[in-house]
Amino acid sequence: MKAPSFAYARPQSLEETFDLLDRHGEGARLLAGGQSLIPSLNMRLSAPEVLVDINALPGMAEIRQDRGVLRIGALVRHTQIEKSEEVAKHAPLLAQAVRHVAHPAIRNRGTIGGSLALADPAAEYPACMVAMDATIVLAGRGGERLVKAVDFFKGLFETDRQPGEVLVAVEIPAQLKDERSVFLELTRRHGDYAIVGLAAFKGQETRFAFLNVGPKPFLARGAASKASVDEAKQALRAELNPTADLYNSAATKMHLAGVLMDRAWNSLST
Ligand SMILES: Cc1cc2nc3c(=O)[nH]c(=O)nc-3n(C[C@H](O)[C@H](O)[C@H](O)COP(=O)(O)OP(=O)(O)OC[C@H]3O[C@@H](n4cnc5c(N)ncnc54)[C@H](O)[C@@H]3O)c2cc1C
């Protein structure tokens, strides 16, 4: 199938982008890497009147570390993350996770901002952001608004982003020397969306953020406070109520979440 017809705009500044979003309201859709949006148009799941291509916006395709914070611009492609020494050094969890995002062709175009704004429950980055306690940076007419990742993901493909706002960056506390993190997922084939995944971080606080067990990343708060892996798995069974999908029952997902918890616990403890 082909996409329905749409108008196309390529603003050169955020101000111009806000004007377009104001003018077209619900009829406008931001276009970043297009790896999720264009298939959805081709399948006629969505029919915006105008695509606002944000790829020419300045300053949004950079990765930089400053005073303990790694800032990744929304237009940074998955492949840039994969190759970045800054990411490998300061956000090793993300460096591990990106290798599980789709295939090279998609990683060449898809952006971190697109993935976070889309909030697919099976995507790797949202769970990583929750585990790393990252902050999402949104720009609107009134300036920038900062939202903790744990509050940003609201539900199935639903975020705290308000009409007229553009996700411009994500800010991640740089991982310290004595902190640990691990990303694990189970898939039928490498590159497929995960059946279940886990982004785990151990610092002053421990955070286990699961992906694809419900409509948004699931932060296992009860499990994180336990002293042994058996207690943690018991707490997980009490707090997690996974959603089944077309191929995997809730019981299967619960079992696999426990398997990943076991592996992550071992990895964070060694
Ligand atoms: C075959 C296939 C396999 C895939 N496998 C995986 C996978 O295993 N894991 C995974 O995580 N992803 C996977 N993806 C999705 C891929 O990672 C996409 O790149 C990503 O989800 C969307 O990024 P994008 O830049 O392409 O966004 P687009 O498709 O351009 O946009 C997606 C949505 O986000 C909005 N948007 C984009 N940028 C912004 C912004 N800066 N501010 C506000 N809103 C914005 C758009 O309006 C649109 O609604 C797969 C895609 C395909 C086609």
Side-chain angles (χ1 to χ4, degrees):
M1 280 172 80
K2 293 279 176 239
S5 62
F6 51 80
Y8 173 84
R10 192 173 166 93
Q12 304 294 311
S13 68
L14 273 173
E15 279 310 312
E16 215 185 309
T17 310
F18 299 145
D19 288 345
L20 284 156
L21 293 177
D22 279 355
R23 196 172 325 134
H24 296 279
E26 301 254 299
R29 191 67 71 83
L30 298 178
L31 172 70
Q35 299 304 294
S36 297
L37 182 55
I38 299 299
S40 87
L41 300 189
N42 289 344
M43 287 187 275
R44 308 255 167 161
L45 297 172
S46 150
E49 86 197 37
V50 57
L51 290 192
V52 178
D53 181 347
I54 57 175
N55 284 278
L57 295 186
M60 276 172 54
E62 289 152 19
I63 301 175
R64 54 188 158 83
Q65 195 270 137
D66 188 25
R67 275 168 281 180
V69 175
L70 185 71
R71 184 177 166 112
I72 305 183
L75 290 173
V76 167
R77 319 250 170 218
H78 307 318
T79 189
Q80 259 176 285
I81 291 177
E82 206 175 352
K83 291 178 183 154
S84 163
E85 285 175 17
E86 297 275 51
V87 172
K89 185 167 171 204
H90 302 295
L93 179 63
L94 194 58
Q96 289 176 57
V98 68
R99 295 182 213 126
H100 297 273
V101 177
H103 307 283
I106 290 152
R107 294 205 287 269
N108 283 340
R109 290 298 305 162
T111 66
I112 189 165
S115 177
L116 297 175
L118 186 64
D120 186 327
E124 285 79 5
Y125 293 161
C128 289
M129 297 307 146
V130 170
M132 295 186 295
D133 197 26
T135 300
I136 310 294
V137 185
L138 299 152
R141 281 236 190 260
E144 284 192 350
R145 190 165 72 88
L146 307 181
V147 185
K148 284 279 184 193
V150 70
D151 301 319
F152 181 71
F153 302 103
K154 294 275 189 208
L156 192 65
F157 297 103
E158 192 194 338
T159 70
D160 190 50
R161 187 171 77 89
Q162 301 301 309
E165 285 184 327
V166 179
L167 195 162
V168 289
V170 61
E171 292 183 345
I172 302 168
Q175 186 171 315
L176 303 174
K177 279 209 173 62
D178 54 350
E179 294 176 333
R180 307 291 304 267
S181 58
V182 65
F183 184 86
L184 300 164
E185 71 175 36
L186 296 164
T187 51
R188 286 168 66 86
R189 289 165 308 193
H190 185 81
D192 281 5
Y193 280 105
I195 302 169
V196 176
L198 172 57
F201 179 91
K202 189 176 177 187
Q204 272 192 335
E205 250 181 65
T206 301
R207 287 182 292 271
F208 294 107
F210 286 90
L211 58 109
N212 215 16
V213 292
K216 61 178 188 171
F218 177 76
L219 187 59
R221 295 177 198 272
S225 63
K226 300 299 175 205
S228 74
V229 67
D230 288 335
E231 285 175 329
K233 285 199 296 183
Q234 201 178 349
L236 182 67
R237 280 193 290 274
E239 63 189 335
L240 176 63
N241 185 14
T243 321
D245 59 34
L246 278 178
Y247 307 104
N248 303 284
S249 66
T252 300
K253 289 200 173 200
M254 180 64 99
H255 172 73
L256 297 179
V259 170
L260 292 183
M261 171 69 85
D262 241 333
R263 292 180 187 174
W265 195 281
N266 280 337
S267 167
L268 295 178
S269 317
T270 50

